[in-house]
Amino acid sequence: VSFRDFQFAQAMRFAITEINNRSDLLPGISLGYKLYDSCGSILHGVRGALSLANGNEEVLVSSETPCTRSAQVQAILGETSSSACVAIAPVLGPFHLPLISHFATCACLSDKVKYPSFFRTIPSDLYQSRALAQLVKHFGWTWVGAIRTNDDYGNNGMATFAETAQKLGICLEYSVSFFRADPPEKILNIIKRIRQSVSKVIVTFLTPNEVAVLITALSEHNVTGYQWVGTEAWIFDSKIMAMDKKHILDGAIGLSIPKAYVSGMEEFMMDVRSLNTSGNQLFTEFWEELFNCEFNAETYHKRCTGTEDLSQVDNSFTDMSLMPIFNNVYKGVYAVAYALHKILKCNKTCQTDVNLDPHMILQHLKNIHFQTKEGEEVYFNENGDPTAKYEIINWQPTAQGTVDFVTVGLYDASLPADRQLTLQNVSIYWAQNSKQVPISVCSSACSPGTRKVLQKGKPVCCYDCVLCAEGEISNSTSTTCVQCPPDFWSNVQRDTCVRKETEFLSYEEIMGALLTAASLFGTCMTCVVACIFFRYRKTPIVRANNSELSFLLLFSLSLCFLCSLTFIGRPSEWSCMLRHTAFGITFVLCISCVLGKTIVVLMAFRATLPGSNVMKWFGPLQQKLSVVGFTLIQVLICVLWLTISPPFPFKNVKQFTHKIIIECAMGSDIGFWAVLGYIGLLALLCFVLAFFARKLPDNLNEAKFITFSMLIFCTVWITFIPAYVSSPGKFSVAVEIFAILASSFGLLFCIFIPKCYIILLKPEKNTKKNISKDGDVTLGAILSFHSSWINTLHSYTQKPNPLQCT
């Protein structure tokens, strides 16, 4: 005899009695009932449902008031288990006979195609499975075991849990199933699997019968210390609690139907004397089982008198912990009553001539919406399910050795996802009386600065922690490394992005200071040379070297030295445009002057030949115009460059990972190489001309010095190209400055320092006679450019000289 099933029957009888005593609900109509015992067998359940659907009911209780019309079943309440409902519901579907369950939670029963007439007053396991997954995730358990009943309830519930858990990053170390009738060997294998596992949390989808079998086996093998997570099927079942003698389930946490109270129900259920008056054999067995006596007892056994007092009994029948489920039975009866109330168009009376069709009951049940006397709203959704609400129950042992079912939280599926699960400010008792939440993970959480790398052949919850790559970070909330923004870089711990160091050639650093000093030194030297030349401008050596081009060359050299300063300091829009254009123009001006001096030497000696008339094509005016012309071409190139695609400041974040190079982007590479190429072309032309003039008389022949200066110039800029391309960051700017200074110093030293040496240290050689010795033709030719070159040239060519003889 199952006291639980008798309690469900008593709950149904209470609801029917209450409805029949009401005048506002089905006035003038009395509800009757038939009870079938399925004996825990699916086959018996289907047989009883078919008997009710066919109208071949066996009268179990004789009614004192005979019915005025033939009995017709309008709805069936039950079954308790999901597997029984899965078998019965398809049978009743073609008859359109509603089946309303108070405890069948399998999500599969929400399929209206397979089970069109099924309703229930308990939430679907679809919501319970999701709620369990969220609960497990809330406590950080990502590596759990799973045990389920091998039936529709366990298999479907666990499948939904596993699917939701996977989305939440929870892995099942194992998932095993069994049925209460399985051989002991299978139970032992489950015990062995639990012991071998790493996980300390076990999620269950078990019916009370399977829990009882499992608890017995665990107790025999002394398996303790695991955190159990249960469903509404057993988490608040006091019968299971009483069986757990070794407190294996202490600290268990799970979901239960919210507590309920129905006034008058407990008193009605405890009134069992009326059950004994029926004289039915079934209730006789119930009475004997309830009071542990026999009506026809032998002398050695307690005899039943029929007047036993239930207040002296303490068993599962007197336990009201399943009141929420009794309330589900109560709501199911009332749902049928309200549907009949609408069909019979009841007001003060009901129309008894209405032909009751089960199909009509089915349609009205879908749209039913009412409140119980306790204020609870009852309605079904499109799947025949009620709103899913659960309480989170924790098994907390007491000093008396019992267990209290303490509510520690709530779950409401009707709320937004982030607010469905709420835990109250109540201390939770964990397994083994631990004050800390049990840890059940395959791999510990990665520390900030690391990322997860999955272990080969294992679920996603098993991983190794690897340090993030340079430029990437991870924090406590992320599981992967993320790239730092372009202007930032990861610190050593790889948990924070720090701003990158900016780098450019500045005046404050040693290299920048040295280059600045070299530039200023070159400028000062150029100014000193210019002063010397100006002071001795009337001496033969200054006059013979074309003083106008010399001063213009010195001026351009000073600009060359100074333009290198524009390359130092933080690049800006104006400095980027100025540095390359100033460099290009000043160097062309410089090379143009050197080229003019080279041509003067060549033309001077060419003019001494008999019948030569070349000097009239390269007089002082033509020399100046050539310098201006060559320079204007470079100016035109620079203007086009600045107009089409000018240089601009640029943050180079790719060349170095840990710092930002602030440099000047060329804008147009063609413009940059055109400027350099034009300078190189003039320098090459100057070098070739000076090379041809290198064997002219020595006293005044500066072609050799120009050749050496151009050789240095070309060497510097040829080596500049690979050095510039391969130099990283600010060093490429330093290479360019060095090339500018080296070539400028080369021109200054090779062309002017020898003359300054003669002017300052060897003044005896700075005479017209000394300069004319063995080379008076040269002197005459050079001096002729100072306005009287024709007459002087004529006087000197009348004298014999080695060149004429040759």
Side-chain angles (χ1 to χ4, degrees):
V1 175
S2 171
F3 288 144
R4 288 293 188 215
D5 292 329
F6 268 96
Q7 286 179 316
F8 297 149
Q10 281 287 75
M12 184 195 72
R13 291 182 64 247
F14 169 74
I16 291 175
T17 302
E18 189 176 79
I19 292 169
N20 288 341
N21 291 332
R22 289 178 59 168
S23 59
D24 60 332
L25 184 61
L26 293 176
I29 300 294
S30 293
L31 295 179
Y33 62 90
K34 299 292 182 181
L35 288 175
Y36 274 77
D37 186 6
S38 65
C39 301
S41 168
I42 296 177
L43 182 61
H44 281 70
V46 174
R47 179 181 178 184
L50 285 173
S51 297
L52 289 170
N54 292 331
N56 298 326
E57 306 92 348
E58 179 185 355
V59 178
L60 299 181
V61 181
S62 59
S63 176
E64 296 178 358
T65 305
C67 294
T68 57
R69 57 192 296 178
S70 59
Q72 184 179 359
V73 175
Q74 304 300 323
I76 297 177
L77 297 183
E79 242 269 15
T80 301
S81 70
S82 295
S83 294
C85 288
V86 169
I88 295 172
V91 175
L92 299 179
F95 297 100
H96 305 290
L97 189 60
L99 176 66
I100 305 175
S101 175
H102 53 277
F103 213 13
T105 58
C106 179
C108 59
L109 290 166
S110 298
D111 187 350
K112 290 292 106 178
V113 176
K114 291 183 179 179
Y115 316 106
S117 63
F118 179 80
F119 296 86
R120 53 184 158 197
T121 52
I122 189 170
S124 166
D125 278 338
L126 175 68
Y127 305 102
Q128 182 173 214
S129 300
R130 292 174 178 174
L132 282 177
Q134 291 188 33
L135 183 66
V136 170
K137 179 65 175 179
H138 176 81
F139 293 116
W141 301 326
T142 58
W143 190 243
V144 300
I147 305 177
R148 67 188 187 277
T149 303
N150 192 14
D151 62 4
D152 295 290
Y153 167 75
N155 293 330
N156 285 277
M158 189 57 73
T160 305
F161 170 81
E163 180 182 353
T164 308
Q166 184 179 12
K167 295 178 181 178
L168 297 177
I170 301 169
C171 302
L172 300 184
E173 182 179 9
Y174 60 88
S175 181
V176 294
S177 65
F178 73 98
F179 196 69
R180 57 182 175 271
D182 285 341
E185 291 77 12
K186 188 169 185 179
I187 308 299
L188 290 176
N189 288 335
I190 294 176
I191 301 297
K192 183 178 179 181
R193 187 71 183 88
I194 293 174
R195 280 181 165 174
Q196 294 175 345
S197 65
V198 177
S199 59
K200 296 298 180 181
V201 175
I202 302 175
V203 180
T204 65
F205 254 93
L206 299 171
T207 63
N209 293 326
E210 276 68 33
V211 174
V213 173
L214 186 61
I215 289 298
T216 302
L218 292 172
S219 300
E220 291 176 355
H221 293 83
N222 195 28
V223 179
T224 59
Y226 291 90
Q227 179 65 47
W228 295 85
V229 180
T231 60
E232 91 297 327
W234 65 269
I235 197 66
F236 62 105
D237 194 327
S238 58
K239 187 176 180 180
I240 298 297
M241 181 264 293
M243 292 181 59
D244 187 18
K245 302 296 184 182
K246 291 190 176 182
H247 297 277
I248 294 173
L249 299 179
D250 284 2
I253 194 169
L255 304 177
S256 73
I257 306 304
K259 292 182 177 64
Y261 173 76
V262 181
S263 58
M265 179 178 284
E266 183 175 355
E267 293 78 7
F268 181 89
M269 295 178 70
M270 293 295 102
D271 183 15
V272 293
R273 293 185 182 277
S274 60
L275 297 177
N276 194 33
T277 59
S278 64
N280 186 277
Q281 181 63 30
L282 178 63
F283 294 112
T284 299
E285 294 178 11
F286 162 73
W287 191 271
E288 292 178 345
E289 183 75 20
L290 181 62
F291 294 102
N292 193 24
C293 63
E294 292 182 7
F295 283 102
N296 300 318
E298 301 292 337
T299 56
Y300 57 84
H301 200 277
K302 181 182 177 181
R303 181 180 294 274
C304 294
T305 64
T307 60
E308 284 78 9
D309 186 6
L310 194 61
S311 62
Q312 305 299 321
V313 177
D314 184 16
N315 55 27
S316 60
F317 185 79
T318 60
D319 176 29
M320 291 292 113
S321 62
L322 291 183
M323 183 60 75
I325 308 303
F326 305 155
N327 183 44
N328 288 344
V329 179
Y330 177 82
K331 290 186 292 186
V333 176
Y334 262 87
V336 176
Y338 274 101
L340 287 171
H341 188 84
K342 286 189 176 182
I343 293 172
L344 298 177
K345 301 177 183 179
C346 298
N347 191 1
K348 291 184 179 181
T349 60
C350 296
Q351 298 180 10
T352 56
D353 58 343
V354 176
N355 183 23
L356 290 175
D357 183 359
H359 187 268
M360 299 174 65
I361 299 288
L362 185 64
Q363 294 303 318
H364 280 79
L365 278 174
K366 292 179 180 179
N367 302 315
I368 206 70
H369 196 146
F370 66 92
Q371 277 190 345
T372 65
K373 62 181 180 180
E374 310 300 338
E376 182 180 0
E377 289 193 1
V378 179
Y379 59 92
F380 302 106
N381 63 16
E382 65 277 5
N383 296 322
D385 300 328
T387 303
K389 293 182 180 180
Y390 299 97
E391 289 182 352
I392 302 174
I393 300 297
N394 180 224
W395 284 34
Q396 298 190 2
T398 63
Q400 293 75 28
T402 60
V403 172
D404 287 341
F405 301 141
V406 180
T407 301
V408 296
L410 299 171
Y411 180 86
D412 189 347
S414 62
L415 297 176
D418 58 337
R419 294 194 291 122
Q420 290 177 348
L421 180 67
T422 56
L423 291 178
Q424 300 170 354
N425 190 19
V426 179
S427 60
I428 299 177
Y429 185 93
W430 301 107
Q432 293 185 328
N433 195 19
S434 173
K435 295 183 179 180
Q436 300 293 331
V437 179
I439 298 176
S440 185
V441 296
C442 181
S443 300
S444 300
C446 290
S447 60
T450 60
R451 62 183 177 89
K452 294 180 179 179
V453 176
L454 298 182
Q455 296 179 2
K456 187 175 182 180
K458 292 187 178 181
V460 294
C461 300
C462 301
Y463 49 82
D464 297 318
C465 297
V466 179
L467 188 68
C468 290
E470 290 187 349
E472 296 180 347
I473 65 164
S474 67
N475 51 36
S476 57
T477 60
S478 63
T479 57
T480 58
C481 299
V482 294
Q483 189 73 34
C484 288
D487 289 354
F488 290 81
W489 192 248
S490 58
N491 59 358
V492 178
Q493 293 77 22
R494 307 286 200 275
D495 57 359
T496 305
C497 286
V498 295
R499 186 173 291 278
K500 289 181 179 180
E501 174 190 356
T502 57
E503 182 180 272
F504 56 89
L505 187 61
S506 65
Y507 293 100
E508 289 77 13
E509 59 183 296
I510 296 177
M511 184 166 56
L514 291 176
L515 292 174
T516 302
S519 174
L520 295 177
F521 177 72
T523 305
C524 293
M525 281 194 64
T526 305
C527 293
V528 170
V529 171
C531 291
I532 293 173
F533 266 55
F534 183 77
R535 169 69 177 81
Y536 297 97
R537 62 186 179 278
K538 295 183 178 180
T539 61
I541 196 169
V542 175
R543 293 181 63 210
N545 278 280
N546 197 341
S547 58
E548 293 181 357
L549 284 182
S550 295
F551 283 115
L552 185 59
L553 177 58
L554 288 170
F555 173 71
S556 63
L557 278 175
S558 63
L559 293 181
C560 289
F561 283 116
L562 291 175
C563 79
S564 63
L565 297 178
T566 61
F567 289 81
I568 305 175
R570 187 183 186 92
S572 61
E573 188 173 352
W574 69 268
S575 66
C576 287
M577 291 188 293
L578 178 63
R579 61 173 57 173
H580 290 103
T581 53
F583 153 70
I585 294 173
T586 56
F587 258 79
V588 165
L589 179 61
C590 179
I591 300 300
S592 299
C593 293
V594 176
L595 183 61
K597 292 173 71 66
T598 306
I599 295 175
V600 166
V601 174
L602 283 176
M603 293 299 104
F605 283 100
R606 180 69 63 178
T608 61
L609 299 178
S612 177
N613 198 25
V614 296
M615 291 310 300
K616 72 175 183 178
W617 300 109
F618 205 74
L621 179 63
Q622 286 82 357
Q623 297 170 30
K624 297 174 185 177
L625 290 177
S626 66
V627 172
V628 172
F630 287 136
T631 306
L632 285 178
I633 294 175
Q634 184 74 305
V635 171
L636 179 61
I637 294 174
C638 291
V639 169
L640 290 175
W641 183 13
L642 296 180
T643 303
I644 299 173
S645 182
F648 58 91
F650 170 69
K651 290 183 178 181
N652 187 345
V653 296
K654 295 182 178 180
Q655 189 170 13
F656 293 99
T657 55
H658 59 284
K659 59 184 176 182
I660 301 174
I661 306 299
I662 302 179
E663 59 187 11
C664 288
M666 296 305 171
S668 172
D669 291 333
I670 297 176
F672 174 70
W673 292 111
V675 168
L676 282 185
Y678 183 65
I679 295 174
L681 179 64
L682 291 181
L684 181 63
L685 178 61
C686 187
F687 173 76
V688 171
L689 294 178
F691 181 79
F692 288 150
R694 71 190 187 284
K695 292 185 178 180
L696 295 177
D698 293 338
N699 286 21
L700 195 61
N701 184 11
E702 63 177 346
K704 291 183 179 180
F705 301 118
I706 294 176
T707 303
F708 282 119
S709 65
M710 287 298 102
L711 184 61
I712 294 173
F713 185 91
C714 294
T715 303
V716 168
W717 286 103
I718 289 173
T719 55
F720 158 78
I721 295 174
Y724 178 81
V725 172
S726 60
S727 297
K730 62 183 179 181
F731 296 102
S732 62
V733 179
V735 167
E736 192 167 0
I737 296 175
F738 179 80
I740 293 173
L741 295 177
S743 55
S744 299
F745 276 114
L747 290 172
L748 181 64
F749 288 167
C750 290
I751 297 177
F752 292 100
I753 294 303
K755 297 175 180 57
C756 291
Y757 174 77
I758 293 174
I759 293 174
L760 297 177
L761 300 180
K762 301 290 183 178
E764 66 277 7
K765 293 184 178 181
N766 189 9
T767 61
K768 181 177 178 181
K769 179 181 179 182
N770 187 68
I771 294 174
S772 308
K773 185 179 179 181
D774 298 327
D776 50 349
V777 178
T778 306
L779 176 61
I782 301 301
L783 294 179
S784 65
F785 292 113
H786 297 278
S787 73
S788 59
W789 66 278
I790 297 178
N791 294 330
T792 307
L793 178 64
H794 177 72
S795 62
Y796 276 103
T797 51
Q798 300 304 313
K799 299 179 180 180
N801 57 73
L803 184 59
Q804 279 186 327
C805 295
T806 302

